[in-house]
């Protein structure tokens, strides 16, 4: 029986190799190699190899470990017009690629052409066919010779307007004396010049009007002469100025606008005063009547208007103006057409709430949005939130906690910086494509932890955010006030009395914070193979209040703390940094195969009026977005761990700290459409800035902290349908801060979205 099974397997493998389906006298083409021979070391050999290999055709039949099952399926459909064999052939089959299908001479010509494009004007190409019984491979050898380099670069002469404009771009040229001749560089140079001219009024110019004449008669040198084609049309070689700029804020495809426009700051504005004031639209418009046309200003106008988040579409139509001017300048008229989103909307979301502190449960959010609340593009967003959550694991896996939450918050997003004019800052940010914002927020939140406490959170904040580039964002919150009414249960009071640090963390819940955050994010550059993300924030609280209280001779309460309205306030400085790197394994931008790494560091330094950070500002570690082999807030601080059932039950409050270090590395792999796999390694811990006798081993020490990292590793599956990701991770503890983990059992994590 075993022999029969082995024989059947051998026959199956032989058929899957596909060679039995090759016609008599023909050979299966199995691919080609491109070999580069050069008299000297090439700095760009890898890129040249890729470019030369890209022109080799045809592509051979795909194979896996020498097997070609697609040829087998193709054979099932030979001579059939219908039936199961025809179905499999059409669905899974692939016709054999034969040696006779390879156009060797044409391929040699293409490789030679690519050598010329890279400056190897004396390059030659030869080939060799390596034949076996049923297969053949074609190898090409490209002998480059010495590359020609640029000796002189000549920009156009003459006093015509366009020649002068092109000549003025020379300081930024991509062409450098001594560089190897390269056709791609010349092509990019044409595009660069066109971009410069488009921002100097040359609306009808395009890169095809630039001509390069190359003198290669010199020995291994070339002279490059750049010219504007004489055949370029007259409209392309003169700059254009803007004449009439129309702003229509309520455009639809069947628009038959009959309402008369008003003249506002030289714009023809078609009013929709129920939604917008004219000033709100002109602030975001950078095409100015009687100004030189600049493509950058057109793109900036579209970006700014779209970032108001009040329009579905923005289109700018430019056409020659019928009227000239006294200076004989060519003119363009601009129609800025804006299609509005619905001004008001109401939305309800029923969702599974999954938080980094381990609480999960159903939640309901009802949102109201007014996209132009004050007729200036201001967005008013009001959210009502209700949820009930249960902690999925506490500490080492003890009894979870139940939480109930109700909240109401509102934000007013103003599309400008509401600040006085400053000498060093133009608040309109005229060189940015992105709309700056002023944010005013207020909110109330009721949180009840069953059998422990009730908290009423009151928050008021005011801040600014802006971008100078698509990758750079800055945010300043000069005012971020949080006031908390804290009511412990009879069960929680003894715990607080026995834990002075915990009691202090909950009592000092009047937070007068200010913060600054800088974010650099290359993930928006989707074509980049390597992407970097960095976020850094500094936050301070109570320092101004402390200074005023000290200078004015304020009095202290029985705890030796200054108060505002009888409530102790927090005083601290807090620094947070996060760095991520995403590296795509494949050059294909659509590939999800990548290595991702993250490093996080945070430190909170209580001072003056505080001995410990307020509880909402403390760090926890572990859980589905952190060190996944441990429960949320199930690690640290330091080497501390719960020693009995009571401590285990209260570990959610104990296992927090003032300092955090965490690192993660993850390999992500596409499996099948919409399903990805992952292998990961996590490490991290938290520590206290000051000693707490109730949590021995919790204080940070520079000599031992590396030995106190919790380490875990695991595998995961992710269902990724682009707009929604469900993540399943199974992680195993490798090391605990106190040594060998108490349990080697894997921890299953279910979460929404990627961890980083």
């Amino acid at each position: 029986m075993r022999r029969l099974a082995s024989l059947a397997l051998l026959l199956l493998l032989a058929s899957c190799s596909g060679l039995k389906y090759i016609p008599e006298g023909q050979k299966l083409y199995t691919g080609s190699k491109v070999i580069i021979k050069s008299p000297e070391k090439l700095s760009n050999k890898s890129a040249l190899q890729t470019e030369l290999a890209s022109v080799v055709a045809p592509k051979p039949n795909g194979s896996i470990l020498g097997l070609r099952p697609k040829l087998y399926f193709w054979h099932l459909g030979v001579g059939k017009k219908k039936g199961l064999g025809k179905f499999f052939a059409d669905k899974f089959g692939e016709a054999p690629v034969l040696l006779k299908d390879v156009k060797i001479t044409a391929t040699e010509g293409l490789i030679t052409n690519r050598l010329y494009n890279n400056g190897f004007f004396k390059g030659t190409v030869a080939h060799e066919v390596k034949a076996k019984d049923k297969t053949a491979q074609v190898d090409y050898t490209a002998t480059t010779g010495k590359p020609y380099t640029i000796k002189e670069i000549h920009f156009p002469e003459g006093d015509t307007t366009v020649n002068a404009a092109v000549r003025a771009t020379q300081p930024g040229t991509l062409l450098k004396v001594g560089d190897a001749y390269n056709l791609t560089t010349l092509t990019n140079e044409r595009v660069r010049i066109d971009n410069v001219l488009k921002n100097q009024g040359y609306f009808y110019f395009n890169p095809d009007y630039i001509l390069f004449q190359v003198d290669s008669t010199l020995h291994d040198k070339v002279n490059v002469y750049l010219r504007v084609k004489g055949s370029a049309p007259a409209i392309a070689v003169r700059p254009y100025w803007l004449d009439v700029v129309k702003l229509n804020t309520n455009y639809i495809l069947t628009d038959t606008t009959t309402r008369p426009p008003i003249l506002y700051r030289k714009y023809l504005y078609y009013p929709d005063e129920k939604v917008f004031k004219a000033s709100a639209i002109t602030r975001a418009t950078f095409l100015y009547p009687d100004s030189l046309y600049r493509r950058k200003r057109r793109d900036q106008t579209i970006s700014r208007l779209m970032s108001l988040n009040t329009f579905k579409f923005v289109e700018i139509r430019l056409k020659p103006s019928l009227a000239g001017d006294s200076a004989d300048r060519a003119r363009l008229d601009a129609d800025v057409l804006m299609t509005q989103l619905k001004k008001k909307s109401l939305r309800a979301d029923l969702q599974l709430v999954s938080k980094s502190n381990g609480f999960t449960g159903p939640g309901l959010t009802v949102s109201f949005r007014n996209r132009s609340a004050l007729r200036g593009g201001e967005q008013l967003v009001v959210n009502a939130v209700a949820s009930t959550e249960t902690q999925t694991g506490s500490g080492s896996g003890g009894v979870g906690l139940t939480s109930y939450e109700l909240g109401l918050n509102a934000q007013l997003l103003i599309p400008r910086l509401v600040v006085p004019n400053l000498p060093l800052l133009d608040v309109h940010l005229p060189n940015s494509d992105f709309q700056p914002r002023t944010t005013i927020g207020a909110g109330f939140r009721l949180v009840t932890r069953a059998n422990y406490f009730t908290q009423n959170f009151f928050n008021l904040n005011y801040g600014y955010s802006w971008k100078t580039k698509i990758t750079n964002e800055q945010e300043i919150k000069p005012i971020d006030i949080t006031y908390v009414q804290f009511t412990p249960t009879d069960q929680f009071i003894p715990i607080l009395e026995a834990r002075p640090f915990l009691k202090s963390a909950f009592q000092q819940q009047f937070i007068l914070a200010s913060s600054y955050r800088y974010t650099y994010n290359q993930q928006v550059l989707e074509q980049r193979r390597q992407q970097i993300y960095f976020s850094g924030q500094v936050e301070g609280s109570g320092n101004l209040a402390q200074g005023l209280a000290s200078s004015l001779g304020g009095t202290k309460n029985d705890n030796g703390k200054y108060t505002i309205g009888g409530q102790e306030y927090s005083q601290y400085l807090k620094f947070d940094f996060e760095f991520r790197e995403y590296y795509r394994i494949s050059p294909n931008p659509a590939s999800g195969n990548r290595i991702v790494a993250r490093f996080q560091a945070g430190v909170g330094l209580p001072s003056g009026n505080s001995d410990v950070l307020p509880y909402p500002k403390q760090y926890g570690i572990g859980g589905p977005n952190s060190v996944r082999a441990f429960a949320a807030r199930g690690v640290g601080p330091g080497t501390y761990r719960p020693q009995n059932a009571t401590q285990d039950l209260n570990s959610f409050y104990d296992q927090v700290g003032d300092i955090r270090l965490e690192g993660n590395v993850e390999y992500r792999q596409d499996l099948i459409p919409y399903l990805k796999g992952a292998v990961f390694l996590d490490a991290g811990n938290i520590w206290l800035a000051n000693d707490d006798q109730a949590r021995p081993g919790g204080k940070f020490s520079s000599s031992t902290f590396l030995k106190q990292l919790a380490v875990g590793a695991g595998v995961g599956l992710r269902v990724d349908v682009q707009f929604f990701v469900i993540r399943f991770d199974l992680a195993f503890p490798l090391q605990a801060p106190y040594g060998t983990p108490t349990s080697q059992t894997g921890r299953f994590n279910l979460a929404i979205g990627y961890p980083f």
Side-chain angles (χ1 to χ4, degrees):
M1 183 65 72
R2 287 185 178 178
R3 290 181 179 179
L4 288 175
S6 300
L7 180 60
L9 180 60
L10 288 174
L11 290 173
L12 178 63
L13 292 176
S15 66
C16 284
S17 70
L19 298 181
K20 64 181 291 185
Y21 308 119
I22 305 305
E24 189 67 29
Q26 300 293 331
K27 294 185 184 297
L28 182 71
Y29 171 64
T30 57
S32 298
K33 289 182 180 179
V34 177
I35 303 163
I36 297 176
K37 290 185 178 180
S38 175
E40 56 187 45
K41 185 177 180 180
L42 301 178
S43 60
N44 64 335
K45 185 175 181 179
S46 177
L48 180 63
Q49 182 98 37
T50 301
E51 185 176 351
L52 299 185
S54 69
V55 303
V56 175
K59 299 296 182 185
N61 295 107
S63 65
I64 303 174
L65 300 176
L67 306 180
R68 301 176 182 87
K70 289 187 176 182
L71 292 185
Y72 169 76
F73 287 114
W74 166 81
H75 181 70
L76 292 177
V78 173
K80 298 178 181 178
K81 294 184 178 180
K82 59 181 180 179
L84 193 60
K86 182 69 165 59
F87 170 80
F88 279 113
D90 292 342
K91 192 73 175 177
F92 306 109
E94 184 178 75
V97 180
L98 304 175
L99 178 62
K100 70 180 182 64
D101 300 322
V102 181
K103 310 299 183 186
I104 295 177
T105 303
T107 301
E108 285 182 329
L110 290 172
I111 294 175
T112 301
N113 176 263
R114 295 302 189 274
L115 290 175
Y116 290 173
N117 291 348
N118 285 273
F120 300 105
F121 295 133
K122 296 179 180 178
T124 59
V125 181
H127 75 275
E128 179 185 4
V129 178
K130 295 182 177 179
K132 295 182 180 179
D133 183 30
K134 283 280 191 176
T135 63
Q137 174 178 317
V138 182
D139 291 347
Y140 300 92
T141 300
T143 304
T144 63
K146 188 176 181 181
Y148 277 58
T149 57
I150 298 174
K151 180 182 180 182
E152 297 177 1
I153 304 166
H154 299 272
F155 271 66
E157 300 175 352
D159 56 0
T160 64
T161 303
V162 70
N163 279 347
V166 173
R167 194 163 55 245
T169 71
Q170 186 168 359
T173 182
L174 304 177
L175 306 176
K176 307 295 181 185
V177 172
D179 281 1
Y181 169 89
N182 186 283
L183 181 63
T184 301
T185 304
L186 298 185
T187 302
N188 292 338
E189 175 71 356
R190 295 201 312 174
V191 173
R192 183 194 70 84
I193 293 172
D194 177 66
N195 285 335
V196 174
L197 265 58
K198 283 293 197 300
N199 287 312
Q200 295 179 0
Y202 290 85
F203 177 71
Y204 290 102
F205 197 86
N206 74 60
D208 290 338
Y209 299 146
I210 296 290
L211 173 69
F212 289 102
Q213 297 173 330
V214 180
D215 180 4
S216 60
T217 60
L218 307 173
H219 180 64
D220 294 337
K221 304 285 184 182
V222 296
N223 289 338
V224 179
Y225 298 86
L226 190 152
R227 299 287 182 263
V228 177
K229 290 181 179 178
S231 60
I235 60 172
V237 295
R238 64 183 306 188
Y240 279 76
W241 292 66
L242 293 173
D243 188 14
V244 177
V245 180
K246 300 178 183 178
L247 305 176
N248 185 347
T249 62
N250 195 19
Y251 174 77
I252 57 176
L253 291 177
T254 57
D255 191 79
T256 54
T257 302
T258 57
R259 62 188 187 280
I262 61 173
L263 187 64
Y264 182 81
R265 295 180 180 173
K266 296 187 179 181
Y267 292 99
L268 283 182
Y269 176 71
Y270 289 87
D272 187 359
E273 289 297 302
K274 292 182 180 179
V275 182
F276 300 108
K277 299 175 185 176
S279 59
I281 302 303
T282 56
R283 269 196 301 266
T285 302
F286 291 81
L287 294 174
Y288 307 110
D290 297 323
S291 68
L292 189 67
Y293 167 77
R294 302 183 189 276
R295 182 165 62 183
K296 177 182 178 181
R297 294 305 186 191
R298 183 206 65 176
D299 296 344
Q300 188 179 17
T301 297
I302 293 174
S303 178
R304 285 286 189 106
L305 289 172
M306 286 299 295
S307 64
L308 290 175
N309 295 325
T310 58
F311 300 113
K312 288 183 184 178
F313 311 106
V314 175
E315 179 186 2
I316 297 177
R317 297 177 182 173
L318 293 151
K319 59 185 178 182
S321 176
L322 297 178
D325 65 13
S326 58
D328 194 31
R329 294 179 298 191
R331 293 265 188 168
L332 294 171
D333 290 338
D335 286 342
V336 184
L337 307 174
M338 295 156 268
T339 302
Q340 294 181 22
L341 290 164
K342 192 174 180 180
K343 181 181 177 182
K344 297 178 182 179
S345 63
L346 184 66
R347 175 175 174 174
D349 291 315
L350 183 63
Q351 54 197 217
L352 175 68
V353 179
S354 178
K355 296 182 178 179
S356 61
N357 59 12
F359 279 93
T360 58
L364 175 66
T365 301
V366 179
S367 299
F368 169 78
R369 182 182 296 267
N370 187 327
R371 290 185 168 84
S372 191
L374 304 178
R375 297 190 302 123
E378 300 88 356
Q379 301 243 344
L380 175 64
V381 183
V382 180
N383 295 313
V385 180
S387 66
T388 175
E389 305 157 2
T390 300
Q391 191 188 14
T392 55
S394 175
S396 59
V399 179
L401 302 174
T402 300
S403 169
Y404 307 94
E405 181 175 327
L406 294 173
L408 183 67
N409 63 77
Q411 275 194 327
L412 183 65
L413 308 175
I414 304 171
R416 57 189 178 278
L417 299 180
V418 184
V419 294
N421 289 325
L422 302 174
L424 299 178
L425 173 66
D426 185 339
V427 296
H428 295 96
L429 300 180
N431 294 320
S432 172
D433 292 342
F434 305 95
Q435 194 70 41
R437 296 192 183 279
T438 299
T439 303
I440 302 172
F444 165 77
R445 188 161 60 101
L446 167 66
V447 176
T448 298
R449 298 273 191 257
N451 302 319
Y452 280 81
F453 59 79
T454 297
Q455 289 176 302
N456 294 317
F457 291 81
F458 300 88
N459 179 261
L460 179 67
N461 59 74
Y462 179 90
Y464 309 100
S465 62
W466 69 94
K467 286 185 173 184
T468 52
K469 297 180 182 178
I470 192 172
T471 54
N472 299 26
E473 183 171 15
Q474 299 180 71
E475 180 182 8
I476 292 178
K477 279 189 178 180
I479 299 174
D480 190 1
I481 301 173
T482 301
Y483 176 74
V484 184
Q485 291 178 336
F486 173 68
T487 307
T489 62
D490 292 341
Q491 178 181 342
F492 197 45
I493 289 176
I495 297 174
L496 293 175
E497 294 299 330
R499 313 296 289 274
F501 269 72
L502 187 61
K503 182 178 180 181
S504 179
F506 274 101
Q507 282 185 338
Q508 294 190 4
Q509 297 283 304
F510 193 15
I511 305 171
L512 306 169
S514 300
S515 63
Y516 169 78
R517 176 186 292 273
Y518 172 79
T519 303
Y520 177 74
N521 184 9
Q522 290 183 333
Q523 288 182 276
V524 294
L525 307 176
E526 296 181 353
Q527 299 300 312
R528 283 186 64 96
R529 193 167 179 178
Q530 181 183 33
Q531 299 168 332
I532 292 173
Y533 173 93
F534 171 78
S535 177
Q537 175 172 296
V538 57
E539 177 181 318
S541 175
N543 298 304
L544 178 60
Q546 182 79 355
L548 291 174
S550 299
S551 61
L552 297 176
T555 58
K556 299 181 179 181
N557 63 7
D558 295 340
N559 296 327
K561 309 294 184 183
Y562 291 107
T563 62
I564 295 178
Q567 174 73 46
E568 294 181 13
Y569 56 85
S570 298
Q571 186 180 2
Y572 61 84
L573 273 176
K574 195 164 180 276
F575 302 89
D576 288 285
F577 302 94
E578 181 176 2
F579 178 84
R580 305 179 206 158
E581 183 172 3
Y582 302 80
Y583 180 76
R584 190 175 67 247
I585 303 298
S586 168
N588 179 10
S591 171
N593 302 344
R594 60 187 64 201
I595 298 173
V596 184
R598 175 178 70 173
F599 174 73
Q600 294 184 100
V603 56
L605 302 175
S607 61
N609 217 45
S610 296
D611 301 315
V612 63
L613 288 179
Y615 185 75
K617 299 295 182 178
Q618 292 182 335
Y619 299 107
I621 205 165
N625 296 318
S626 182
V627 183
R628 285 162 275 189
F630 297 84
R633 300 200 179 189
V635 177
T639 59
Y640 169 79
R641 61 170 169 163
Q643 298 297 319
N644 52 55
T646 301
Q647 289 182 355
D648 188 62
L649 179 63
N650 298 315
S651 63
F652 178 74
Y653 305 105
D654 286 344
Q655 296 192 263
V656 292
D658 309 310
I659 299 169
R660 175 180 65 182
L661 284 177
E662 182 180 339
N664 318 82
V665 63
E666 182 169 292
Y667 174 69
R668 298 172 183 169
Q669 171 74 44
D670 291 332
L671 299 177
I672 59 176
Y674 308 119
L675 184 65
K676 301 178 186 294
V679 180
F680 55 83
L681 178 70
D682 305 319
N685 203 348
I686 54 171
W687 293 268
L688 302 174
N690 299 310
D691 267 321
D692 179 5
Q693 294 181 357
R695 290 178 287 178
K699 186 177 180 182
F700 179 84
S701 171
S702 60
S703 61
T704 60
F705 76 96
L706 287 177
K707 299 177 182 178
Q708 297 174 2
L709 296 177
V711 181
V715 295
L717 286 175
R718 290 82 195 276
V719 180
D720 185 346
V721 291
Q722 295 183 341
F723 61 89
F724 189 75
V725 177
I726 301 177
R727 176 163 51 91
F728 306 91
D729 287 332
L730 180 62
F732 297 86
L734 303 180
Q735 175 182 302
Y738 44 80
T740 303
T742 55
S743 172
Q744 302 292 331
T745 305
R747 178 173 293 275
F748 178 74
N749 293 279
L750 170 64
I752 306 299
Y754 288 103
F756 47 89

